[in-house]
Amino acid sequence: MKTIAEQFYQYGVVPVVVLEDAKDAVRLAKALMDGGLPCAEVTFRTEAAEDAIRLMCKEYPDMLVGAGTVLTIDQVDRAVAAGARFIVSPGFDPEIVDYCLEKDIPVFPGCITPSEVAQAAKRGIEVVKFFPAEQAGGVAMIRSLAAPYTGMKFMPTGGISAKNLRDYLECDKILCCGGSWMVKSDLIHQGEFDRIRDLTREAVELADTSNH
Ligand code: 3PG
């Protein structure tokens, strides 16, 4: 069975989902699956996250569903109880990271400085999130940051879209990219799940035809 990191690498893209209402969760999951991306990072930016994760996992047990924007231990527990198979945080919070490592929960903390990457590397973590990617220096910054930490791979998110996805994926330090461009909130609110499926398919094609 593939590790979470291996699955991220295989997909190349991890949709970052913000759901206001858990009732949209299953239709959104279907659109992602139909578009060829059986994967989602459901962010705890909304109250609906926990229920959304539970519903997606129940309906699509083979889908790789995790939790994003995890800021507290309580959210780790709630996400995992709902079925989340990985935890992503925007920054490096040692308390959350150590809690996940103790419990063998795959965790991808955000790191945009050498000091943060060092903290992750010291704990044996091999993949970190890089957020907000575009604003923090994009691919050039990732290349420089990765140089001293040869075993570390990055999962950039923030400002990535169909326009620059391939530039990121062509960097060998990048495991996969996260992004919300194919699952924008207004598309979800307006029930445009066919459009979400099409944007997802486009992202998959871009990833598949890049030098990733
Ligand atoms: C995240 O939570 O990882 C980012 O907010 C996603 O960034 P994007 O909305 O610019 O894709």
Side-chain angles (χ1 to χ4, degrees), residues 28-100:
L28 180 74
K30 182 174 188 317
L32 292 173
M33 300 278 286
D34 290 348
L37 263 186
C39 178
E41 174 190 324
V42 180
T43 72
F44 268 76
R45 292 179 192 194
T46 63
E47 283 300 313
E50 184 180 348
D51 285 343
I53 291 170
R54 186 172 294 110
L55 291 166
M56 285 169 142
C57 293
K58 182 162 176 260
E59 191 69 22
Y60 295 107
D62 293 336
M63 191 171 178
L64 178 58
V65 180
T69 321
V70 173
L71 305 179
T72 66
I73 301 277
D74 176 58
Q75 287 174 339
V76 174
D77 287 339
R78 284 163 48 206
V80 170
R85 288 164 53 200
F86 62 89
I87 298 291
V88 181
S89 318
F92 189 92
D93 180 329
E95 198 191 347
I96 291 181
V97 171
D98 290 340
Y99 183 77
C100 290

Side-chain angles (χ1 to χ4, degrees), residues 191-202:
E192 294 198 45
F193 294 98
D194 288 352
R195 177 87 182 121
I196 291 172
R197 179 203 57 211
D198 293 347
L199 288 168
T200 303
R201 199 167 277 156
E202 179 196 38

Side-chain angles (χ1 to χ4, degrees), residues 107-173:
V107 61
F108 302 91
C111 296
I112 55 167
T113 65
S115 307
E116 291 159 352
V117 176
Q119 293 290 307
K122 184 166 87 172
R123 289 167 165 83
I125 289 177
E126 293 176 341
V127 182
V128 292
K129 177 171 166 130
F130 180 82
F131 169 81
E134 277 290 278
Q135 297 81 350
V139 183
M141 177 64 178
I142 293 173
R143 281 191 199 283
S144 301
L145 188 58
Y149 301 101
T150 50
M152 192 62 80
K153 297 277 187 203
F154 293 81
M155 187 167 122
T157 73
I160 300 178
S161 69
K163 289 195 183 70
N164 56 6
L165 175 65
R166 292 171 68 137
D167 299 337
Y168 277 91
L169 289 180
E170 283 169 11
C171 169
D172 64 354
K173 296 296 176 187

